[in-house]
Amino acid sequence: MILVSRALKTLAVASLAVAAAHLILSDTLRLGFSAQAAATLGSPQGYGADQAFTTALVNTALVLPLVLWAGLRIAGERRVGIPVLVGTVAWITAVWHGLDVIDDAPGAILPLPSLGLVVLVAALGSLVPRKGVTPRRTAPPSPPAPGA
């Protein structure tokens, strides 16, 4: 029961983390598109398209683990390293493989199956047994007092 609770918490928090990271990624890539358009028209905005692209990748790689870690800690989970680690690796892999899809047009989103896979991998990472953590158990009922 505890594992199911932990997995459901991670599933919900990972969904929020993926949404936040994707929002940061798409908005920063849109900034890159506007920089490209401005440079093409001869009116530079003070930053280049390559700079915006690099910023998009760095920001999205930092946002997901931060939101995932903070969300799991707020949800009451301890030792959240494994779900954060596997979720971050899955996110970076999904972005790496789907970047061509979202780099072609502003407002495009990563393929939904890869977004779902990131959430699922993070939730499965929460099921890995953790060393030194014992499951919470309720105390056994105390025997009735003598003479009662």
Side-chain angles (χ1 to χ4, degrees):
M1 188 65 176
I2 293 172
L3 289 177
V4 173
S5 170
R6 187 179 310 139
L8 289 176
K9 285 180 194 177
T10 307
L11 196 66
V13 171
S15 298
L16 291 173
V18 165
H22 197 289
L23 180 66
I24 295 294
L25 178 66
S26 62
D27 282 353
T28 314
L29 284 177
R30 186 171 302 156
L31 183 68
F33 285 127
S34 66
Q36 275 181 331
T40 302
L41 296 173
S43 134
Q45 296 181 352
Y47 52 86
D50 292 337
Q51 184 180 11
F53 182 77
T54 304
T55 303
L57 294 180
V58 170
N59 285 346
T60 194
L62 294 175
V63 165
L64 184 107
L66 180 67
V67 172
L68 193 54
W69 176 81
L72 288 173
R73 292 295 295 164
I74 290 170
E77 291 297 318
R78 293 178 285 147
R79 297 192 181 201
V80 296
I82 293 175
V84 170
L85 179 67
V86 296
T88 302
V89 169
W91 174 249
I92 290 171
T93 304
V95 169
W96 183 13
H97 287 293
L99 195 58
D100 292 338
V101 173
I102 61 174
D103 194 30
D104 292 338
I109 62 170
L110 288 170
L112 292 178
S114 54
L115 295 177
L117 188 62
V118 172
V119 172
L120 183 65
V121 165
L124 289 176
S126 70
L127 298 177
V128 173
R130 297 173 296 176
K131 188 187 272 189
V133 176
T134 57
R136 288 184 236 158
R137 295 184 183 162
T138 58
S142 59

